[in-house]
Amino acid sequence: MFASFPVFNTHLDLAHFYWEKVLQSGDTVIDATCGNGKDTLRMARSCQGTVYAIDLQPNAIECTKQLLHAHGFAQNIHYIQGCHSRFPETIAPGSVKLIVYNLGYLPGGNKNLTTTTKTTLESLNNALPLLKEGALLSITCYPGHAEGEIEADHVLKWASSLDPCQWSCCLHRWLNRRKAPCLCLIQKFKT
Ligand SMILES: C[S@@+](CC[C@H](N)C(=O)[O-])C[C@H]1O[C@@H](n2cnc3c(N)ncnc32)[C@H](O)[C@@H]1O
């Protein structure tokens, strides 16, 4: 009777659903926290275009590179080891269709190397001008750990303050699991 319980999609399923709704062949995308590369691979498959994979940790960049190579993605993938608070100047404003943040720390890695409120907010502010009309910003927050809870609060406040004439902001959150991950989606309006 409860073979597929609960019936709700996870935050990841939902994120993937929305990414695929906006992506078209040849699009440019940025994974701002590439980690083990699973999200980057999904984005590369869905856009068949130009992919930027950013992470602070050299081993995360290496893992992502290996995963993408193993799946035949070698061209048009740019690996950037460093903080996502600044994006490469080669990415033109208004040129990106999807920017993804999967905040927190690398699963199985050093939990101290987590995203932080200050650089995440800096990065989000710098990400907005890069998006083209109809493009999506997808942010998964992890309030289950101390820094993640503070970061999630700030990210949601930041998203709530965006001009409703330019940005459509929505949140997917579990109501009875306060510390569960939540998904914030922001779409740039078409004018
Ligand atoms: C939850 S993991 C990402 C998981 C990844 N999306 C995947 O599919 O495996 C978060 C990542 O953010 C990275 N990170 C933390 N602070 C960062 C920063 N300031 N700039 C770029 N990456 C950062 C961490 O190194 C970690 O790999």
Side-chain angles (χ1 to χ4, degrees), residues 30 32 54 84-89 91 99 101 123 126-127 130:
I30 302 174
I54 307 175
H84 52 207
S85 54
R86 294 275 171 274
F87 293 98
E89 285 178 5
I91 308 177
I99 306 181
Y101 293 81
S123 182
N126 288 329
L130 301 181

Side-chain angles (χ1 to χ4, degrees), residues 125-163:
N125 279 312
N126 288 329
L128 292 183
L130 301 181
L131 295 170
K132 54 166 65 172
E133 290 183 350
L136 198 65
L137 190 56
S138 169
I139 314 159
T140 302
C141 301
Y142 292 85
H145 62 110
E147 173 61 33
E149 189 169 14
I150 297 167
E151 184 181 41
D153 279 352
H154 280 85
V155 167
L156 299 185
K157 275 196 192 99
W158 171 85
S160 310
S161 74
L162 293 178
D163 178 357

Side-chain angles (χ1 to χ4, degrees), residues 31-40 54-57 60 82-85 100 102-107 113-116 119-120 142:
D31 187 346
T33 53
C34 67
N36 289 323
K38 288 187 192 150
D39 289 332
T40 320
I54 307 175
D55 203 288
L56 208 50
Q57 300 189 61
C83 179
H84 52 207
S85 54
V100 169
N102 195 343
L103 299 175
Y105 48 82
L106 191 60
L113 291 174
T114 184
T115 53
T116 59
T119 47
T120 297
Y142 292 85

